[in-house]
Amino acid sequence: MEKDSKAKLSRRSFLKGGLAAGATVVAASAIAIPGTSEAAEKLPHDCRKWSWEKPAKAISNSEISKTVTSDVVVIGAGLAGITAALSAAECGASVQIIDKNATWAARGGHITAFNSSVQKKLGVNNDYRQIIRDWIAWAQGRIDERLLWTFAHKSGACMDWAVDVAKKHGLQVTMWEGYYKGPDYTEYPVTHIFYEDGADLSYVYGNSKGIGNVTLVPALEKEAKSKGVVFNYKTPAVQLLKGADGRIKGVIAGKKGKYTKFSAPSVIIATGDYASNLEMRECYSPFSLKADAQIYFPNKCNTGDGHIMAMQAGGAMQLCEPHGATIHLEAGAASYGFLHINALGKRFKNEDVNTQSKSCTKELEPGGIAYTIYDKDWAEQVKYQVDNNLAGGLFYGQMWQPWGNGWNLEVEKMTQEAHIKDGKVVVANSIEELAKKIDVPVAELVKTVARYNELYEMKNDVDYGKRKELLTPILTPPFYAGKLYSTLLTMSGGLRTDSSLKVLDDNGQPIEGLYVAGSAGGSFFANDYPTICPGVNHGRCLTFGRMAGIYAAGKDAEKMIPSLKI
């Protein structure tokens, strides 16, 4: 019934043309995500046979055209992989990095770190014990706390290392000021942004230049090459090599008939997540299949290759399921804190929450459809709320809002004009006209708006408990309806690992020689993605990438990387 309802309401019909990248995406395309078959949905998890559970056929020596020997092989040339490769090379290791794409991959630009030199310079102080407690509570304790505390202790020093590398290549760094500042839902000022010297940090409709990881990752690549790291692009990893003693011995990569054996005592999996593998999502996070769209760059390359190779070599996925999915309102209109309605024209929630919660909540409404409703004075209202520390966050505060600059009203108006042009925001001169344009019951929307205005006059949201500071009237035309699209960015679950970043087997024992870093790693998130630390997925790419590289090179990351005393 649910699928029929969604088809009738045409939840994806608003997606017209290319969709711009947003919070955690630098350059991307959005793709609609089909659901799974009804028959598949009815099968219990433990009654299914998944494709990766079939033993991989060993590749024979006759299929290998050449052998390359090194100390470390890194699979994946993204933020985590290149960080790992550079860190290993700095320790004196010879390093080969392989990737199936034609070049490095970079998404987003928000990077979490605790107590970095940048934060100290700006006078940013956080209660890091409380951050970890909040993080654990968000996951209901279903994560490995040792990984969280490792991140807490090491992320600041790893950020300082990245800042030093970036500055050698002409980059600057600042903090993000757009985080959510509500008393109930609060984000922490932990988010770093790299940018080219002189870059314009405004962000009009997803278009930005010289900002984010698209600037940091190539700087890391240049530095890695200067340290002797060899990059092998267009070289997909196919199969891990495992010795009779159980140790990993390297990886076979390339195309069939022209395979290369990369022989090394240490292999680091940094292949990213598996959001483009629908079978894996069906297995580990069925709710993620409800998302309206998916954004990733390079498009559809995050197919769980590293997870699958590791499992076929004896590795195990994290213990807790479902895996968290990073789902934000990326592909649609900005939501802000205004009235949210469903396809029936009815209000359905307290809008004083983060983009992740809005994305997930709307999926439970009829057809998964939702709009944000506001009037002529919207921009001034949002600016007042953000600049006075009443709210913020992704798709409320601004994407690249640099520390100390405030919310840029003119940039947001230009972005809204672009959204109107492509149909993500609808404009009308009356509530009745607006209801007709977005195909919701006219009488119901008129009633809902009237009730919301009544709550504003009362300064008391007795229906859903929103703070009075965020109640704004909907009285003055033109009136706007912004279509909200849940957008899958990353599957935030992965391989079981310990704080030395080794992949673990089903018995919790490490597979010697096999490490994991970045989004391929697990036990760091559970159930849902915690937005209290914006950019924490990139934060673990940087922190655990650096640690994995040091460990894979035979050094002790615990001793080499200074620890934050909490």
Side-chain angles (χ1 to χ4, degrees):
M1 292 296 293
E2 182 179 355
K3 291 184 180 299
D4 292 339
S5 174
K6 290 188 179 185
K8 182 179 180 181
L9 290 165
S10 188
R11 59 189 268 176
R12 296 182 178 87
S13 63
F14 259 67
L15 287 172
K16 297 178 180 178
L19 297 176
T24 51
V25 189
V26 169
S29 58
I31 55 173
I33 299 299
T36 55
S37 67
E38 291 184 10
E41 288 178 344
K42 293 177 182 178
L43 285 174
H45 181 113
D46 56 2
C47 292
R48 292 291 306 272
K49 276 292 184 184
W50 308 101
S51 62
W52 55 86
E53 294 177 333
K54 300 174 184 177
K57 182 181 178 181
I59 295 173
S60 66
N61 289 330
S62 63
E63 299 177 81
I64 296 171
S65 60
K66 66 175 181 178
T67 298
V68 176
T69 301
S70 63
D71 298 319
V72 177
V73 175
V74 179
I75 309 174
L79 177 58
I82 299 180
T83 295
L86 173 55
S87 298
E90 288 181 338
C91 292
S94 57
V95 183
Q96 297 278 335
I97 189 166
I98 60 177
D99 195 287
K100 64 183 179 182
N101 295 304
T103 187
W104 45 264
R107 286 165 287 281
H110 290 176
I111 306 178
T112 289
F114 292 178
N115 203 39
S116 69
S117 59
V118 179
Q119 289 167 304
K120 294 173 186 176
K121 183 178 180 180
L122 294 173
V124 177
N125 295 305
N126 290 302
D127 183 345
Y128 294 106
R129 291 190 184 201
Q130 187 60 47
I131 293 178
I132 297 298
R133 284 195 290 265
D134 289 350
W135 191 341
I136 293 167
W138 192 301
Q140 299 177 308
R142 299 175 187 180
I143 36 74
D144 187 338
E145 290 188 29
R146 290 163 292 195
L147 288 173
L148 271 59
W149 286 105
T150 297
F151 176 84
H153 287 129
K154 301 297 184 182
S155 60
C158 291
M159 174 57 69
D160 291 348
W161 169 85
V163 169
D164 289 342
V165 173
K167 285 184 176 179
K168 288 176 61 176
H169 297 275
L171 301 183
Q172 303 295 320
V173 63
T174 188
M175 298 290 296
W176 182 54
E177 192 185 45
Y179 63 97
Y180 207 103
K181 307 171 183 71
D184 303 310
Y185 168 69
T186 305
E187 295 171 356
Y188 290 96
V190 294
T191 309
H192 300 67
I193 302 170
F194 288 86
Y195 62 95
E196 294 175 357
D197 193 19
D200 181 1
L201 296 184
S202 57
Y203 185 73
V204 181
Y205 192 42
N207 297 313
S208 58
K209 184 178 180 181
I211 313 172
N213 290 342
V214 73
T215 65
L216 175 61
V217 172
L220 293 172
E221 184 200 42
K222 289 178 184 176
E223 188 69 13
K225 287 181 176 178
S226 75
K227 300 294 184 183
V229 175
V230 178
F231 284 75
N232 302 271
Y233 290 118
K234 296 184 180 180
T235 308
V238 177
Q239 192 172 93
L240 290 170
L241 296 171
K242 196 173 184 180
D245 59 357
R247 281 191 61 97
I248 295 298
K249 302 294 186 183
V251 61
I252 296 174
K255 296 181 180 179
K256 191 172 183 179
K258 295 182 179 180
Y259 287 133
T260 297
K261 179 194 288 187
F262 290 87
S263 180
S266 294
V267 174
I268 302 173
I269 293 175
T271 50
D273 74 302
Y274 59 83
S276 293
N277 187 321
L278 296 183
E279 184 189 15
M280 293 186 76
R281 284 169 54 195
E282 182 185 348
C283 175
Y284 296 113
S285 183
F287 185 82
S288 73
L289 295 168
K290 294 179 178 290
D292 296 316
Q294 179 192 350
I295 291 178
Y296 202 82
F297 179 82
N299 196 19
K300 293 187 179 182
C301 72
N302 52 335
T303 48
D305 305 4
H307 303 77
I308 293 171
M309 283 187 292
M311 285 190 284
Q312 291 179 336
M317 289 289 250
Q318 67 183 54
L319 289 169
C320 180
E321 296 174 18
H323 293 177
T326 304
I327 304 177
H328 293 168
L329 297 172
E330 194 93 5
S335 63
Y336 312 115
F338 298 124
L339 166 67
H340 286 16
I341 64 156
N342 61 19
L344 305 179
K346 296 181 178 182
R347 188 184 183 198
F348 62 95
K349 72 181 284 82
N350 180 344
E351 299 88 356
D352 183 13
V353 294
N354 61 84
T355 184
Q356 178 88 5
S357 296
K358 289 180 181 180
S359 298
C360 294
T361 303
K362 87 167 195 69
E363 290 302 338
L364 305 178
E365 294 302 303
I369 291 174
Y371 296 88
T372 180
I373 308 294
Y374 47 94
D375 75 359
K376 175 180 177 291
D377 299 321
W378 68 277
E380 291 76 12
Q381 292 165 346
V382 175
K383 181 170 176 58
Y384 175 82
Q385 292 168 355
V386 175
D387 288 355
N388 286 277
N389 295 331
L390 297 174
L394 298 177
F395 314 110
Y396 198 142
Q398 291 173 320
M399 201 59 52
W400 301 121
Q401 186 176 326
W403 198 263
N405 279 30
W407 195 80
N408 192 320
L409 186 147
E410 294 306 317
V411 163
E412 201 70 16
K413 285 185 175 180
M414 288 188 287
T415 297
Q416 193 212 50
E417 285 299 318
H419 284 172
I420 292 171
K421 185 176 181 180
D422 68 14
K424 294 176 187 176
V425 174
V426 175
V427 190
N429 289 317
S430 69
I431 297 300
E432 291 84 353
E433 181 189 1
L434 191 68
K436 292 176 182 178
K437 283 189 172 183
I438 62 175
D439 196 24
V440 303
V442 174
E444 196 62 55
L445 183 59
V446 170
K447 178 181 175 182
T448 298
V449 171
R451 175 57 175 169
Y452 194 75
N453 286 332
E454 181 182 353
L455 297 174
Y456 165 74
E457 291 295 333
M458 293 168 54
K459 303 300 181 188
N460 186 9
D461 182 5
V462 295
D463 294 349
Y464 287 95
K466 183 155 74 175
R467 284 178 286 154
K468 63 182 180 181
E469 295 86 353
L470 299 186
L471 292 170
T472 54
I474 306 173
L475 297 170
T476 309
F479 301 102
Y480 301 92
K483 184 70 180 286
L484 305 182
Y485 289 102
S486 57
T487 312
L488 179 65
L489 304 178
T490 305
M491 288 308 307
S492 301
L495 295 165
R496 201 179 309 175
T497 181
D498 59 16
S499 53
S500 66
L501 285 311
K502 287 181 179 177
V503 176
L504 307 181
D505 64 18
D506 280 322
N507 297 315
Q509 297 302 306
I511 298 176
E512 294 300 326
L514 186 60
Y515 299 84
V516 63
S519 296
S523 308
F524 201 65
F525 306 116
N527 308 321
D528 193 29
Y529 181 72
T531 51
I532 57 173
C533 294
V536 71
N537 238 331
H538 289 140
R540 69 167 174 159
C541 287
L542 177 62
T543 300
F544 290 164
R546 178 147 174 75
M547 293 181 67
I550 292 171
Y551 282 128
K555 304 296 184 180
D556 190 342
E558 179 61 37
K559 292 180 179 178
M560 286 186 62
I561 301 174
S563 288
L564 167 65
K565 292 182 179 179
I566 299 177

